[in-house]
Amino acid sequence: MTDVRVLVVDDQQLVRDGIASLLSIQPGIEVVGTAAGGEEALQRAADLTPDVVLMDVRMPGLDGVEATRALRRAHPSCRVVMLTTFDDDQYVALALRAGADGYLLKDLGAAELADAVRLAHRGVAQLDPSVARRLATARPADTPTDLTTRELEILRLVATGATNREIAARMFLSEGTVKNHVSRILTRLGLRDRTQAAVYARDNGLLAP
């Protein structure tokens, strides 16, 4: 298999170089470049065509959220994972709505970060465990009329980070049936992926306390 091409974006040079150095020695990962801010990230992405961009959230000039939005418009196939120290619900929501494929904190180990990059390249949306736990504590609200009871239950489980296989085992369904339900949920709610589904569930108070 071809190595996953990664662009690292962070305004702090020591952090940026450290992440790039750690990732470059992980199997299946090729760090094709780094950028010190959002504007440079867009330029470098156009030149280097990375598969995955690791993007800091708060940076001078064009911040990570706006850079992600612009990057996803210009390069729809490129995955963007926010990698930050800011464990803040507002940043999480803004980043995911901008098109980020995940939100992770910088306390990951090198091997964990490499795994996250590989998963992002495969289209697997990811949330830091602390973020996912907070999403799971949201207060319940009114039920959307366009989802069935079963779809709501599946949406709640998706929002906790459960895989299709885990949901299938818990609900005594086939994995294929769960996959079909998830696809219908995303279509009915106008969502792009499982990460946006988690944000939708949080914002609409659909998760059990």
Side-chain angles (χ1 to χ4, degrees):
M1 291 181 62
T2 305
D3 288 352
V4 181
R5 296 166 56 82
V6 180
L7 174 66
V8 179
V9 184
D10 197 292
D11 63 317
Q12 297 185 36
Q13 183 175 355
L14 185 61
V15 174
R16 183 172 69 246
D17 291 347
I19 292 171
S21 178
L22 289 172
L23 276 180
S24 66
I25 61 174
Q26 297 298 314
I29 305 290
E30 179 188 1
V31 178
V32 295
T34 64
E39 293 92 343
E40 186 181 2
L42 295 177
Q43 295 169 0
R44 304 230 68 194
D47 294 336
L48 300 171
T49 61
D51 300 309
V52 177
V53 175
L54 292 177
M55 182 83 73
D56 194 12
V57 173
R58 288 181 58 176
M59 297 181 291
L62 191 69
D63 68 11
V65 172
E66 291 306 317
T68 295
R69 184 175 289 111
L71 185 60
R72 291 309 303 265
R73 282 198 301 262
H75 309 283
S77 64
C78 180
R79 306 290 183 177
V80 181
V81 177
M82 313 309 291
L83 184 64
T84 179
T85 58
F86 295 98
D87 186 9
D88 182 282
D89 288 352
Q90 182 178 6
Y91 282 126
V92 175
L94 288 172
L96 298 180
R97 286 170 182 156
D101 297 280
Y103 195 100
L104 302 174
L105 301 182
K106 288 178 180 174
D107 56 359
L108 287 174
E112 291 176 293
L113 183 56
D115 285 341
V117 166
R118 297 186 196 100
L119 287 170
H121 182 46
R122 286 161 43 195
V124 179
Q126 301 163 85
L127 290 175
D128 187 88
S130 66
V131 173
R133 281 193 297 270
R134 285 203 309 279
L135 290 177
T137 62
R139 294 174 56 190
D142 294 336
T143 299
T145 57
D146 50 354
L147 294 183
T148 66
T149 301
R150 172 164 286 182
E151 287 169 345
L152 277 171
E153 186 174 355
I154 289 174
L155 174 59
R156 292 185 180 106
L157 292 172
V158 166
T160 66
T163 65
N164 287 349
R165 180 173 297 179
E166 292 167 341
I167 295 171
R170 180 162 176 172
M171 297 185 66
F172 303 102
L173 299 171
S174 71
E175 193 170 345
T177 297
V178 172
K179 182 178 179 180
N180 290 337
H181 276 302
V182 171
S183 295
R184 283 196 294 271
I185 290 167
L186 296 179
T187 299
R188 289 180 181 179
L189 298 179
L191 304 173
R192 182 170 55 85
D193 54 32
R194 298 168 79 96
T195 306
Q196 288 194 350
V199 174
Y200 177 92
R202 189 282 307 274
D203 288 350
N204 289 274
L206 298 178
L207 298 181

